[in-house]
Amino acid sequence: MNSRISERIRYVGVNDLKKSLFEGMWPLPFGVSYNSYLVIDDKVALIDTAEAGYAAEYMENIRRELGERKVDYLVVNHMEPDHSSLMSMIREAYPEARIVGNAKTVPMIKGYYGICENLHIVKEGDSISLGNSTLTFHMTPMVHWPETMMTYFHEEKTLFSGDAFGTFGALADGITDAGARLYGCSDAAADTFEAFNGEMLRYYSNIVGKYGQTVQAAMKKLAGLEISRICSTHGPVWEKNIAEVVSCYDRLSRYEGEKGVCIVYASMYGNTEKAAMSLAAELEKRGVRYAVHNLCTENVSYAYRDAFRYDTLAVGAPTYNNDIFPPAFSFMYGVSARLMKNRAFAAFGSFTWAGASVKLLNEMASKLGFDLISEGLSFPQAFTPEKCDMAALADTIASQVTE
Ligand SMILES: Cc1cc2nc3c(=O)[nH]c(=O)nc-3n(C[C@H](O)[C@H](O)[C@H](O)COP(=O)(O)O)c2cc1C
Ligand SMILES: [Fe+2]
Ligand SMILES: [Fe+2]
């Protein structure tokens, strides 16, 4: 893979195709990349590092670009270990290199790696010069950790954005959106942004989702910068698709869904499942877009993705010990934890002797300020259209969607 992004910027990141669950939770069907960059001028800056398991490959990438030259600065935009865990190795290989972080980074560097020496602490608007290249630091706290900051390379209008604008999915056939493909995905014709879009939504909703407000604050702060390249820590370098990527983040962080329905259900014996499938079929007849996720067979990651994607959320769960069947409770807990807003909502579910799940799901949705478009479809034992009128719910949804 060509590592040259420009004369002065080189890609030294790695693809991770071995890990099955990111952060121990989120599936990686196409892998993930840990992006790291060198800015090479009179002095050399390394922006973030990579995951511990890739030490040898990462070091080789750096040496291939630098030869005998040394790193002068290691800029730490984010301390999550997927980007910081090779910091000690860099300190050993280049003991003179100053580690650049902000006041919130310093105790984390000490706590994780025991490093206290040769640190350069920056605050909003501070710069370092590498010769003819200026790096300016912008504090963007809680995108998605307290120490997160971004680094702007003034002369090349390049933003090193940390996790922001990142996506799951390893890189194939290139690094920039001029040609990078989603690893393991054969559709060579797909535009890079389109190819990575689902994985970008999943990355945002799974990991950053809670921080809509601070993402908005960061975007307002960055609005004054002229940006012609975004180098994030995961996925492609954005050059062609900057407008699309920024508008996608803007929409997600305002919790603005596209027209459509995310149907999420959990079911032990198939009765709630039949209701979910009936709703899907009724939406299909009315030409309403939808996605269906079974929480008992699928990782919840995909349900969060589509809950962020669509403006309507329909959740199905049977009653279990006078409560919400746990996989659906856990999903709704995750929706609450992400401070989700602006959703139309409907609950459904089977029970046998005393239904409770639909009422409790409605309560969770009400607390989030969702618009309850149905009183909820709670039905005893087997699903029948008479007991659980999904056609009527689909009519309500279709009338809202086509408004
Ligand atoms: C462990 C367990 C606990 C249950 N607790 C309740 C309950 O508290 N109230 C109730 O009405 N039904 C309860 N049920 C019955 C289920 O809600 C019922 O079987 C329902 O039809 C299952 O829907 P499903 O086919 O979508 O899994 C329970 C079932 C199981 C297996
Ligand atoms: Fe992170
Ligand atoms: Fe990350």
Side-chain angles (χ1 to χ4, degrees), residues 155-174:
E155 289 77 2
E156 294 211 15
K157 301 184 175 72
T158 296
L159 183 69
F160 296 98
S161 63
D163 283 342
F165 312 113
T167 94
F168 290 135
L171 297 167
D173 295 347

Side-chain angles (χ1 to χ4, degrees), residues 3-11 38 153 156 158 229 239:
S3 59
R4 184 194 163 106
I5 293 168
S6 75
E7 180 57 29
R8 288 180 283 189
I9 305 175
R10 304 302 164 92
Y11 182 85
L38 283 167
F153 178 1
E156 294 211 15
T158 296
R229 183 185 292 124
E239 290 176 340

Side-chain angles (χ1 to χ4, degrees), residues 345-347 358-359 362 372-378 393:
F345 183 85
V358 165
K359 181 174 150 277
N362 280 348
L372 268 55
I373 52 171
S374 151
E375 63 182 15
L377 296 148
S378 182
L393 178 58

